[in-house]
């Protein structure tokens, strides 16, 4: 039982119980964040908010925290591992390591996103 993350028509109607045995497919999608999210995560200090966002983006790109910065919308895209996983996803438990501090994009998924109310559920495989 799984959805193809690139084909939203295969996604499942979301219900809380799906997360308990999911591979965290949503944590492989690009995550756009704002400066407030980066402060909450702890990679930007509140004192840096007076600095131009492009300077912050340059530093975070160099550190491997973000992979892209949209200058016009002032949105940062979090970097992902080579396999597509979010850097904050534990590779063994498949759970978010910053869950209490996670970005608004993650907090609002799947209410908003590519297919609101649906998720790219993929059942965990047992090894």
């Amino acid at each position: 039982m799984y959805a193809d993350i690139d084909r939203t028509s295969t996604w499942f109607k979301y219900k809380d119980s799906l997360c308990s045995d999911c591979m965290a497919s949503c944590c492989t999608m690009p995550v756009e964040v704002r400066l407030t999210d980066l402060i909450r995560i702890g990679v930007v200090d509140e004192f840096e908010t007076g600095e131009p966002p492009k300077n912050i983006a340059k530093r975070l790109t160099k550190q491997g925290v973000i992979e892209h910065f949209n200058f016009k919308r002032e949105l940062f895209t979090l970097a992902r591992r080579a396999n597509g996983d979010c850097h904050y996803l534990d590779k063994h438990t498949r759970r978010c390591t910053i869950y209490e501090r996670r970005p608004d994009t993650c907090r609002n998924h799947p209410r908003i996103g590519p297919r609101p109310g649906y998720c790219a559920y993929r059942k965990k495989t047992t090894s």
Side-chain angles (χ1 to χ4, degrees):
M1 185 164 141
Y2 72 93
D4 180 340
I5 198 153
D6 296 320
R7 293 179 41 231
T8 58
S9 63
T10 66
W11 289 20
F12 292 82
K13 181 86 172 137
Y14 177 76
K15 55 186 174 191
D16 289 337
S17 61
L18 288 178
C19 295
S20 63
D21 68 345
C22 184
M23 283 297 296
S25 302
C26 56
C27 297
T28 64
M29 296 190 297
V31 177
E32 291 181 331
V33 299
R34 299 204 174 277
L35 190 55
T36 53
D37 293 308
L38 295 172
I39 291 168
R40 185 184 320 118
I41 292 169
V43 295
V44 172
D45 191 288
E46 281 193 52
F47 297 110
E48 291 179 272
T49 57
E51 196 175 322
K54 69 178 184 178
N55 292 355
I56 295 170
K58 218 179 272 189
R59 176 179 67 79
L60 294 177
T61 300
K62 195 179 284 187
Q63 291 175 346
V65 174
I66 66 164
E67 61 186 38
H68 181 355
F69 178 62
N70 181 318
F71 290 92
K72 187 175 181 179
R73 296 178 57 212
E74 292 190 357
L75 284 174
F76 304 81
T77 303
L78 292 179
R80 292 177 286 170
R81 294 187 186 108
N83 69 355
D85 284 354
C86 174
H87 277 285
Y88 298 106
L89 182 67
D90 183 286
K91 61 183 174 184
H92 301 292
T93 65
R94 305 296 295 171
R95 294 288 178 238
C96 181
T97 60
I98 59 164
Y99 188 80
E100 294 301 319
R101 298 176 290 133
R102 71 193 183 281
D104 286 339
T105 300
C106 303
R107 290 171 188 269
N108 292 318
H109 181 76
R111 289 186 310 275
I112 60 170
R115 187 174 180 199
Y118 289 79
C119 67
Y121 173 79
R122 293 186 75 105
K123 187 171 179 60
K124 278 185 187 176
T125 55
T126 53
S127 2

